[in-house]
Amino acid sequence: MRFDLVLCDVDGCLCPEHPGPLDVGALATVAAHNRAARERRDRPRVVLCTGRPQPYGELLCRLIEDFDGPAICENGVWLYHPANNRYELDPTITPAQIAAVQELVGWMRDRYGAHGAQIQPGKDASASLYHGDHDWLVGVRAEVAAEVARRGLPIRVSMSWFYVNCDLAHISKASGIRRLFVSTGIGRERSAGIGDTLGDLAIADSVAWFACPANADPKLKERAQYVSPLAEAAGVVDILEQIGRLTY
Ligand SMILES: [Mg+2]
């Protein structure tokens, strides 16, 4: 087989970007794929590479029958090992850096709570400010970035559709993938990836073959070796079929 691993984003890939039901049929197909990978060793395992908090990743590991991992959660903050329930915080993250994130969380709660914005629960060394109005968030992003600069915090501010994301500057999906490669002994040449937003450039940059579902950002599609005609989880299933047809 061409690859050992497929690093797969969650929101907009395995799960819908917008509120609504999971595509359980497609997820069952991914689970069957992972079962076959485990039993026959004839195809790459699908592992998570997500900005979502670890508890969400843990449940998804069960849903897609990834019992080996590690799953990259919280944009590289955590490697979660489903086989033995081990949680590895990136060892370069210091207590002072976690305190800096919490300082910013307190400021965002004070500043934006009255506007209907919320801090996504479950994150440990990053923070995501949620609001249902994308356009409102676009204005807020610049203000958060200015506050981070004013306080001199070691934090990178970015945006996904419904979130302003505040991550430690040295932590990303790319740093998580580097740790995963060390942990598994599998490297770039044996890894494929799937993503849908520009945060997933870190995946595209780290793997030998990259694909997008139909709903992906056009700028990210430019980096893909394959773009599925299908969206989200159905697109992931289609991409896995494409990978199965790849030869050296
Ligand atoms: Mg996504």
Side-chain angles (χ1 to χ4, degrees), residues 9-13 17 173 196-197 200:
D9 176 51
V10 169
D11 284 336
C13 290
E17 186 73 56
K173 286 188 176 180
D196 72 310
T197 60
D200 298 323

Side-chain angles (χ1 to χ4, degrees), residues 98-229:
I98 292 176
V101 171
Q102 291 312 313
E103 179 184 331
L104 185 64
V105 165
W107 179 81
M108 289 194 295
R109 280 194 208 281
D110 283 349
R111 181 83 180 84
Y112 303 120
H115 298 271
Q118 304 167 77
I119 303 294
Q120 185 183 32
K123 294 198 166 178
D124 296 294
S126 67
S128 292
L129 182 74
Y130 170 85
H131 198 285
D133 181 348
H134 170 79
D135 294 332
W136 182 84
L137 275 178
V138 170
V140 160
R141 175 196 171 160
E143 193 175 76
V144 172
E147 186 66 17
V148 164
R150 192 181 72 76
R151 291 173 184 242
L153 301 176
I155 288 171
R156 175 181 71 250
V157 181
S158 63
M159 200 168 166
S160 48
W161 197 252
F162 291 120
Y163 294 93
V164 171
N165 298 306
C166 305
D167 296 281
L168 289 170
H170 70 295
I171 301 296
S172 66
K173 286 188 176 180
S175 68
I177 293 169
R178 286 195 294 274
R179 291 170 64 213
L180 176 145
F181 284 166
V182 171
S183 169
T184 60
I186 297 167
R188 167 195 194 88
E189 285 310 311
R190 300 290 301 167
S191 299
I194 302 172
D196 72 310
T197 60
L198 291 178
D200 298 323
L201 280 170
I203 302 178
D205 288 341
S206 302
V207 298
W209 189 90
F210 183 73
C212 298
N215 53 291
D217 188 309
K219 290 199 185 79
L220 189 68
K221 287 178 178 174
E222 291 171 11
R223 292 293 310 278
Q225 275 86 356
Y226 176 70
V227 177
S228 175

Side-chain angles (χ1 to χ4, degrees), residues 11 14-24 27 52 56 162 232:
D11 284 336
L14 285 170
C15 298
E17 186 73 56
H18 297 270
L22 296 173
D23 185 345
V24 289
L27 291 177
R52 286 285 194 153
Y56 192 84
F162 291 120
E232 299 183 334

Side-chain angles (χ1 to χ4, degrees), residues 8 19 28 37 40 45-46 99 109 113 144 149 154 176 184 227 234 245:
C8 191
R40 297 188 219 146
R45 300 189 287 117
V46 178
R109 280 194 208 281
V144 172
T184 60
V227 177
R245 292 189 198 108

